[in-house]
């Protein structure tokens, strides 16, 4: 039995016309989605409601339902629109994938609510799939197979998303402990008999304030080193 395609995807893929009923031609789906993104960017996803969105747009809540059936539908449209166009990649897979990763990092930092809205579901919207397509294109002309290219792009995505998840907490001040105090706190809790490897790392000062910073770029470079080793094995 063929899978039923949700209405949101039919609209986004041009398989169904957008709703455009009612006496308010100025209230379009694009305007609704753009305003919803502004609210989520500024106040977080929990602050977004159909009532608040209608108030910001200066319309009645029922007017929104002429264009979008529910908040769940709205979130799908938001996830499609928020990332924008993926960056043009320069030649060379390593430079190209690095450009892609930094562009994706900027999207997550600009719209941290995406990390929660898209949790547990693979991308199906054309706006998100455009980013996947662009990431895969970094490997054009390389000896990697299609499966290996997808694995490399997904590993990069997981790395970028993980960094963005941590930064989202730090930037909003929701963390229980500051980054500077973390080293001292973990050092007071961890013992060698229970966590020997971690205790050894702490003793070597990896969490000390003056320790070498493990930056986003450092981790990305190590990840790419692994991809490069795989690529060398194919030559």
């Amino acid at each position: 039995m063929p899978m039923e395609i949700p209405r949101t995807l039919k609209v986004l893929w041009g398989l169904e016309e957008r709703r455009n009923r009612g006496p308010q031609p100025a209230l379009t789906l694009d305007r609704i989605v753009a305003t919803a993104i502004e609210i989520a960017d500024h106040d977080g996803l929990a602050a977004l409601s159909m009532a608040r969105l209608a108030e910001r747009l200066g319309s009645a809540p029922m007017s929104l339902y002429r264009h979008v059936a529910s908040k769940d539908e709205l979130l799908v449209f938001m996830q499609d629109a928020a990332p924008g166009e993926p960056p043009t990649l320069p030649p060379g897979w390593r430079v190209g994938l690095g450009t892609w990763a930094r562009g994706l990092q900027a999207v997550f930092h600009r719209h941290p609510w995406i990390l929660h809205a898209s949790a547990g579901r693979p991308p199906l919207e054309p706006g998100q799939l455009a980013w996947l397509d662009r990431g895969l294109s970094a490997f054009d002309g390389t000896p990697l197979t299609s499966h290996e290219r997808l694995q490399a792009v997904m590993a990069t995505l997981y790395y970028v998303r993980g960094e963005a998840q941590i930064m989202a907490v730090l930037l909003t001040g929701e963390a229980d402990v500051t980054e500077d105090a973390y080293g001292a706190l973990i050092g007071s809790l961890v013992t060698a008999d229970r966590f020997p490897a971690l205790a050894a790392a702490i003793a070597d000062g990896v969490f000390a304030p003056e320790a070498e910073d493990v930056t986003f770029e450092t981790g990305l470079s190590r990840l790419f080193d692994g991809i490069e080793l795989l690529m060398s094995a194919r030559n």
Side-chain angles (χ1 to χ4, degrees):
M1 180 180 295
M3 179 179 177
E4 176 64 26
I5 301 175
R7 189 192 77 86
T8 49
L9 295 181
K10 288 181 179 179
V11 171
L12 290 170
W13 287 97
L15 303 177
E16 180 177 306
E17 290 186 4
R18 299 185 175 200
R19 293 177 177 175
N20 191 26
R21 304 192 304 269
Q24 293 183 307
L27 190 62
T28 64
L29 179 59
D30 288 341
R31 185 177 169 222
I32 290 170
V33 171
T35 304
I37 290 173
E38 289 177 2
I39 294 173
D41 286 349
H42 189 267
D43 299 320
L45 203 57
L48 176 63
S49 66
M50 300 299 275
R52 183 175 180 184
L53 180 57
E55 181 181 5
R56 177 74 66 86
L57 290 164
S59 64
M62 288 307 298
S63 300
L64 302 182
Y65 294 104
R66 299 190 179 101
H67 302 271
V68 58
S70 64
K71 183 178 177 180
D72 288 340
E73 274 201 6
L74 177 62
L75 289 176
V76 174
F77 289 128
M78 290 167 63
Q79 291 173 73
D80 177 75
E85 286 293 321
T88 300
L89 306 187
W93 77 265
R94 189 163 184 141
V95 178
L97 192 60
T99 299
W100 181 86
R102 294 179 198 99
L104 188 61
Q105 180 194 38
V107 169
F108 287 141
H109 286 186
R110 194 163 55 246
H111 310 292
W113 54 267
I114 293 179
L115 297 164
H116 304 288
S118 60
R121 186 175 72 77
L124 292 169
E125 301 80 24
Q128 292 200 60
L129 290 178
W131 279 79
L132 178 58
D133 177 79
R134 191 63 53 85
L136 290 170
S137 74
F139 293 104
D140 287 351
T142 70
L144 295 186
T145 66
S146 293
H147 286 87
E148 290 168 339
R149 295 179 186 193
L150 180 60
Q151 290 167 356
V153 170
M154 294 306 293
T156 305
L157 169 62
Y158 298 149
Y159 173 73
V160 175
R161 187 182 180 96
E163 186 270 351
Q165 191 83 52
I166 294 172
M167 288 304 299
V169 174
L170 293 176
L171 291 173
T172 56
E174 295 176 1
D176 293 332
V177 61
T178 65
E179 190 175 9
D180 291 339
Y182 179 74
L185 182 57
I186 194 174
S188 68
L189 297 172
V190 171
T191 57
D193 59 328
R194 187 172 185 182
F195 301 113
L198 182 56
I202 293 171
D204 286 339
V206 297
F207 295 110
E210 65 275 10
E212 180 182 354
D213 189 18
V214 181
T215 65
F216 175 80
E217 291 295 332
T218 302
L220 193 65
S221 180
R222 298 298 174 268
L223 175 60
F224 287 3
D225 288 345
I227 298 173
E228 195 159 11
L229 283 174
L230 176 62
M231 202 170 296
S232 298
R234 294 286 179 270
N235 291 324

